[in-house]
Amino acid sequence: MVRKTFNNYKQSILNAQGKEAIRFIDQKTVRYYDKELELSVSGDSATINNLALMDKLTVFIARHQVPKSELLSMTGSQFFIYAVDQGKIGKNSVIAIQIGEVQVKGEVAYGRMVSNGQDTPLFFQFNKDSKQWNVKITKELPQ
């Protein structure tokens, strides 16, 4: 089921279908997009300067490519859907990626990232939300 979740998520990204992709992400990822949206709308320069590089990039892209009036009307879920639909979470992020070995530990699972057919030292985390495995895409985890 973990691999199926990832493959469904991957197909949604490849087809730029945000409403489909959101069905396969966990609530931690939705909360992450809530935070990124809030920072995009109202984060001050000191706060933005202290963000990790990818978070800074997300804020920068949102501020310069999405009208503020649209950002103000979005939720974190809508922000994620918009990003997928507009290719901001792009095909290159998943096209060569698969899930290899899977380790399940209760309500959490880890799937080894395989890139271009080669195992990597990174793992995707999956959380069981509402009896369904969902991928946490805020970062890959070394195991």
Side-chain angles (χ1 to χ4, degrees):
M1 293 305 289
V2 169
R3 277 189 194 87
K4 183 176 180 179
T5 293
F6 181 79
N7 290 335
N8 288 336
Y9 169 75
K10 178 178 175 177
Q11 284 303 316
S12 300
I13 297 298
L14 292 174
N15 294 316
Q17 296 174 324
K19 287 182 181 177
E20 184 69 12
I22 200 163
R23 294 179 46 226
F24 304 108
I25 64 170
D26 73 344
Q27 288 303 307
K28 291 177 185 173
T29 300
V30 172
R31 287 193 298 274
Y32 169 80
Y33 276 88
D34 285 334
K35 179 182 170 198
E36 294 294 292
L37 176 61
E38 181 180 333
L39 289 167
S40 297
V41 170
S42 61
D44 61 37
S45 60
T47 301
I48 303 305
N49 284 337
N50 287 325
L51 295 175
L53 180 60
M54 291 306 295
D55 295 331
K56 286 180 189 175
L57 186 58
T58 299
V59 170
F60 177 78
I61 290 170
R63 286 183 172 181
H64 290 88
Q65 294 185 357
V66 183
K68 189 169 185 176
S69 60
E70 283 187 46
L71 290 174
L72 287 168
S73 69
M74 289 183 186
T75 64
S77 294
Q78 292 166 327
F79 188 47
F80 173 82
I81 291 167
Y82 178 90
V84 173
D85 289 348
Q86 298 300 312
K88 307 300 182 210
I89 300 175
K91 296 175 183 180
N92 290 337
S93 68
V94 295
I95 197 161
I97 304 297
Q98 298 172 333
I99 296 297
E101 151 196 18
V102 174
Q103 303 168 8
V104 178
K105 299 174 183 176
E107 301 291 305
V108 177
Y110 299 92
R112 182 178 297 277
M113 180 189 293
V114 176
S115 180
N116 294 312
Q118 299 293 313
D119 285 353
T120 73
L122 302 174
F123 285 73
F124 281 99
Q125 180 177 331
F126 296 80
N127 296 304
K128 207 162 203 183
D129 294 339
S130 302
K131 300 182 183 181
Q132 173 183 314
W133 288 107
N134 292 302
V135 65
K136 178 181 176 191
I137 60 164
T138 55
K139 65 180 178 177
E140 294 80 33
L141 302 171
Q143 189 69 11

